[in-house]
Every structure is written in C-alpha cells, then in structure tokens.
Amino acid sequence: MTKALDTATRSILITGCSSGIGYAAAHALSKRGWRVFATARAEADVKRLEEEGLEALALDLDSSDSIQAAVETVRERTGGRLTALFNNGAYGQPGAVEDLSRNVLRKQLETNLLGTHELTTLVLPMMRAQGHGRIVQNSSVLGIAALPYRGAYVCSKFALEGLTDTLRMELKGSGIHISLIEPGPITSRFRENAYRAFQAHIDTAASAHADTYQKVEARLAGSDSGGAFTLGPEAVVKKLIHALENPRPRPRYAVTVPTHLFAALKRILSTRGMDRVLLRSTKSERE
C-alpha cells in the first residue's frame, strides 16, 4: 500500500519556473511547505526567483552540462534525497511539418523531450536509493490530439506521453510514481515564446502555406489571455498537488474542457472523424 509523503522532508525540482505554470507551481508548493528548487535558463530569472524567496538554480534543458550541474547541486544540498521532480519546461515551435528543418525539429525535441528525459534519468537513482519518489510530466492536450501547424510540439508531446507510459510500467514496485498532466489552453507566455520561434525558424514567404501563415501569425501575435476554455496556471497546480501528495496519484490528469473532450472523442470516433473535428477547431487559421 502506498504511503503518504513525509511532509517534514519533502523537496521538489521544477523546470521552467521563469513564468506561467512553473512559476505558479514553485510559489504554491513553497507555501505548502515543500522545499522547492525552482529552475530557469536565464540568470536574470534565477536572480528574480531568489529575490522572491525561492531556492533557485540555473538549468538549461538544451545542455547536458547544465542539467548535470543542477542535479549535482540538488544532491549536495539535500544529502542525496529528492522527493519529486516536475518536468514543466518546454516551448512550442509553430509551422507546417513540411517547413520544419531537421535542425528546427531537433531543437524542439532537445528541450521538450531529450532534456526532460536526461534530467529524469539523473534523479531516478536518488529516488531509488530512498525507496520513493514522484515524477510529474507536464504534457498537453497536443499530447493526445494533433492540430495543424503545431507538428513539432505535437511530436514532442506524443513522444513524452509514450516514454512516460513505458517508464510508469518499468517503475512498478519501486515506490516511484510517475504521472502526466495534460493541460489545454492555459494563460502564460507560451504564445509569446512560440511567436519568437516561428519568426526565427519559418520562412513564410517561401512556403506553400504562406496564405495560412498570415492567420497563424496574427493568432500568435495576439493576446495570450485565451478564450472561453482557457484557465489560469493555478488549474494545473491543483492537479500537480494531487499527483505529488495523494497516496494514490493518477497516471493522467486532464485539466481543461478541450483536453477532456478530445480524449473522449478520440476513444469513440474514427481517425477520419477525429480529423474533421480537429480541423474544424482550427478552421479560422486556414480561411
């Protein structure tokens, strides 16, 4: 039978804490008594997090040296014990699949999948040695349903889901639990960061999708406040707390209405039927 976590010694390493979900999670868990190692890539963000009272570290998921250094710092500061890891850091690379160069796709996978995987494998020995642990992967509605012009991000999240499902089975009996959180639209700087990636890596003028890209760019340049189904990062934090603190964490946590809806439709519709639903949901980008 799974035991509840020892609240006196619990600690967590979180990636992508400069803003959005990671930032909200770091502060919320700190208030709940967790020892939080909040990480960010930029030194300015690390300094800001420290000034806000968090134990902040530099961690760049694109760099093995940075990942290894952060884990070693956590190991030294905790005496080799870490209760939990929240793999939250990621970004979205918009663009039609045929416009994604090998290097651009590799860059997306380095951050969203390979860096996350490396970090996970480095903390697992600490968790195995102590006989327990929690790993939470921040996936996406795009980890269960594909949408056009988001192929790189979809690829990274589908892969993360598959890797996590495999790891969950391999960890059975170890005392280490792994969960996926699947948000839908969440208010954050995600769209702002995606717009920069789009401008940097997609040659819109030379693309067969040039007309559609005008709509895509307008969407990316717009407000990140979202629509009717968009929730704040605290909605994700609520699921995270359950995954970390409940004696029986769930394998998956859907967050928003679109995530629940697409997961249900995927179970009952044919592939062509699901395509029609998903294409209608992004119709404004193609008109």
Side-chain angles (χ1 to χ4, degrees):
M1 179 174 163
T2 303
K3 295 181 180 179
L5 298 179
D6 182 353
T7 59
T9 59
R10 57 192 185 178
S11 58
I12 184 168
L13 173 63
I14 306 176
T15 61
C17 294
S18 62
S19 63
I21 294 168
Y23 181 85
H27 279 286
L29 291 174
S30 179
K31 290 177 181 177
R32 293 178 69 85
W34 284 77
R35 182 179 184 183
V36 176
F37 294 96
T39 72
R41 286 188 305 170
E43 286 296 336
D45 289 325
V46 173
K47 183 178 180 181
R48 172 171 55 84
L49 292 168
E50 287 177 339
E51 291 171 349
E52 293 173 359
L54 296 171
E55 198 165 351
L57 303 173
L59 195 159
D60 183 351
L61 289 169
D62 292 354
S63 166
S64 290
D65 289 344
S66 177
I67 294 169
Q68 291 165 10
V71 172
E72 187 56 35
T73 298
V74 170
R75 183 182 288 110
E76 291 173 356
R77 293 187 186 180
T78 64
R81 299 182 66 83
L82 182 68
T83 310
L85 168 66
F86 180 32
N87 282 314
N88 166 71
Y91 76 98
Q93 171 63 64
V97 169
E98 65 187 283
D99 292 332
L100 299 172
S101 70
R102 183 171 184 164
N103 285 337
V104 168
L105 186 56
R106 181 186 290 116
K107 182 175 175 64
Q108 178 80 107
L109 294 174
E110 283 287 350
T111 301
N112 292 13
L113 179 69
L114 302 180
T116 290
H117 169 67
E118 182 175 8
L119 176 58
T120 301
T121 61
L122 289 176
V123 304
L124 273 171
M126 285 190 281
M127 293 181 177
R128 283 192 179 276
Q130 67 196 15
H132 64 87
R134 300 287 173 97
I135 299 169
V136 183
Q137 315 273 51
N138 198 21
S139 182
S140 170
V141 63
L142 297 182
I144 60 174
L147 290 177
Y149 305 104
R150 298 163 176 84
Y153 187 73
V154 167
C155 174
S156 71
K157 293 302 184 180
F158 267 60
L160 180 66
E161 296 250 344
L163 201 64
T164 301
D165 284 341
T166 305
L167 182 57
R168 184 182 64 252
M169 291 185 282
E170 293 171 352
L171 290 174
K172 185 173 178 60
S174 69
I176 304 168
H177 299 273
I178 186 163
S179 300
L180 284 155
I181 296 181
E182 296 164 336
I186 299 291
T187 52
S188 68
R189 284 168 46 192
F190 185 88
R191 185 177 294 177
E192 174 188 334
N193 295 332
Y195 188 30
R196 283 200 296 268
F198 179 76
Q199 291 179 308
H201 299 128
I202 302 299
D203 184 355
T204 59
S207 174
H209 300 268
D211 291 343
T212 300
Y213 279 155
Q214 294 179 19
K215 295 285 187 180
V216 172
E217 194 158 5
R219 175 180 61 82
L220 292 173
S223 169
D224 226 0
S225 59
F229 298 120
T230 300
L231 300 177
E234 63 277 0
V236 178
V237 174
K238 181 179 179 181
K239 304 293 186 179
L240 173 64
I241 290 170
H242 189 281
L244 293 174
E245 299 182 2
N246 192 278
R248 290 179 59 84
R250 301 171 193 161
R252 276 178 168 76
Y253 293 85
V255 180
T256 60
V257 169
T259 309
H260 285 282
L261 177 62
F262 287 172
L265 291 175
K266 195 170 184 179
R267 289 193 294 268
I268 61 176
L269 293 179
S270 67
T271 299
R272 289 189 179 91
M274 191 66 186
D275 283 353
R276 286 193 290 271
V277 170
L278 295 172
L279 286 169
R280 278 200 296 270
S281 73
T282 57
K283 184 178 179 182
S284 61
E285 294 176 10
R286 297 173 286 107
E287 291 179 334

